[in-house]
Amino acid sequence: MEFVVFSIICFFLLSAQIYIGTNQFKDGVAKVIGEKAFKASYRLFYILLSLIAYIVCIKLFLQLPRVEIYNLEDSVSNLVFLIIDTIRFIALFLIIEALWELDLYEFLGIKQIWYFLTKKDLTIFKRNRIRDKEFIPKGLYLRHRHPVYFYMFIFFILDRSMTVSNILFIVIFTIYYNFSARQQEARFMEDYGDSYKKYQQKVNKFLPMFKRFSAHEQPKK
């Protein structure tokens, strides 16, 4: 029963988190509170609500009964654990790097609030993020379109033991991962148009590529 309750609550919370990030919802909020207040405050509001949803899901997850399927500590050497833990550490570092490359202060909504408090020009924000005319990726985004989700998945799946709750979490995260990525790309298509479409055609969605993205190459057919 605990697993069912956990799944239902996560479904509603994560679905709501995805919806409040859509351009349709943003436009509705902007009409209610005004364009200036929206551009200044929405991103921070979105991040706080997202954190609440994640914290509730994680808290419920930690309360689930631990039904173990297998434990690698029973059959794997310390060397293998060292390799696994190293990969997880690298994945965690790459998650942080990918977020930083998004302009962390803007991603968290701090830059927008700062612009409002210091009376800087908020018109440079398209909806609630700064958008150039062309989509110009950098860093990890030159090799895959959603590095944050990919390395989070790597971090979670390389655990020393596997339980029923872990499998359920991975299933929920994978579904969320796919729908959230689709919603983000819909926003990017609306914001950037053809330049993002060209990037989308050339770069893998989740799996990293050896070859880096170049805007001067011909798109995939």
Side-chain angles (χ1 to χ4, degrees):
M1 186 62 185
E2 295 96 330
F3 295 106
V4 175
V5 172
F6 169 74
S7 301
I8 292 173
I9 293 176
C10 285
F11 171 79
F12 282 108
L13 288 177
L14 297 177
S15 296
Q17 187 266 343
I18 290 173
Y19 177 68
I20 65 175
T22 61
N23 283 340
Q24 178 184 3
F25 183 82
K26 291 179 182 180
D27 290 341
V29 173
K31 288 179 183 178
V32 172
I33 68 175
E35 194 71 24
K36 188 174 182 179
F38 168 78
K39 289 182 176 181
S41 62
Y42 179 81
R43 185 66 196 177
L44 183 60
F45 165 78
Y46 172 77
I47 290 296
L48 290 174
L49 286 184
S50 297
L51 285 174
I52 291 171
Y54 297 152
I55 289 170
V56 171
C57 289
I58 291 171
K59 185 176 180 181
L60 291 174
F61 169 76
L62 294 175
Q63 293 174 351
L64 291 174
R66 185 175 178 82
V67 182
E68 197 170 85
I69 299 173
Y70 68 80
N71 192 330
L72 293 178
E73 293 181 354
D74 298 333
S75 56
V76 174
S77 68
N78 289 333
L79 176 61
V80 174
F81 283 140
L82 178 61
I83 294 171
I84 291 174
D85 290 343
T86 301
I87 294 172
R88 294 187 82 203
F89 176 79
I90 293 172
L92 185 60
F93 172 80
L94 291 174
I95 292 168
I96 296 170
E97 181 182 348
L99 290 173
W100 188 264
E101 287 166 353
L102 293 174
D103 187 340
L104 188 59
Y105 296 118
E106 183 188 317
F107 177 80
L108 296 174
I110 296 172
K111 180 183 285 188
Q112 293 87 323
I113 294 291
W114 176 250
Y115 269 54
F116 177 77
L117 294 176
T118 56
K119 298 182 179 180
K120 290 185 178 181
D121 184 13
L122 285 167
T123 60
I124 65 171
F125 293 95
K126 184 172 182 179
R127 290 194 172 89
N128 68 314
R129 300 291 298 276
I130 294 176
R131 295 292 194 230
D132 296 320
K133 290 183 180 179
E134 299 291 324
F135 181 77
I136 304 175
K138 59 182 180 179
L140 297 173
Y141 295 88
L142 294 169
R143 300 186 186 277
H144 46 160
R145 307 201 302 266
H146 299 281
V148 174
Y149 293 145
F150 174 77
Y151 293 114
M152 283 180 69
F153 183 80
I154 295 297
F155 180 82
F156 285 127
I157 204 169
L158 291 179
D159 202 347
R160 293 190 175 197
S161 63
M162 185 61 65
T163 64
V164 172
S165 55
N166 284 353
I167 290 178
L168 181 59
F169 183 88
I170 290 170
V171 169
I172 292 173
F173 178 78
T174 302
I175 296 171
Y176 166 75
Y177 178 106
N178 186 61
F179 278 95
S180 182
R182 187 183 303 175
Q183 177 256 342
Q184 287 181 26
E185 295 200 350
R187 290 203 315 264
F188 287 151
M189 283 292 292
E190 189 173 337
D191 291 344
Y192 292 109
D194 289 342
S195 66
Y196 186 78
K197 184 177 182 180
K198 184 185 293 185
Y199 168 76
Q200 192 179 45
Q201 290 174 327
K202 293 180 183 178
V203 180
N204 289 344
K205 188 172 185 179
F206 298 127
L207 295 177
M209 305 186 307
F210 289 106
K211 189 176 182 181
R212 298 173 66 185
F213 167 75
S214 172
H216 303 294
E217 296 177 3
Q218 293 300 316
K220 293 177 182 177
K221 304 226 176 164

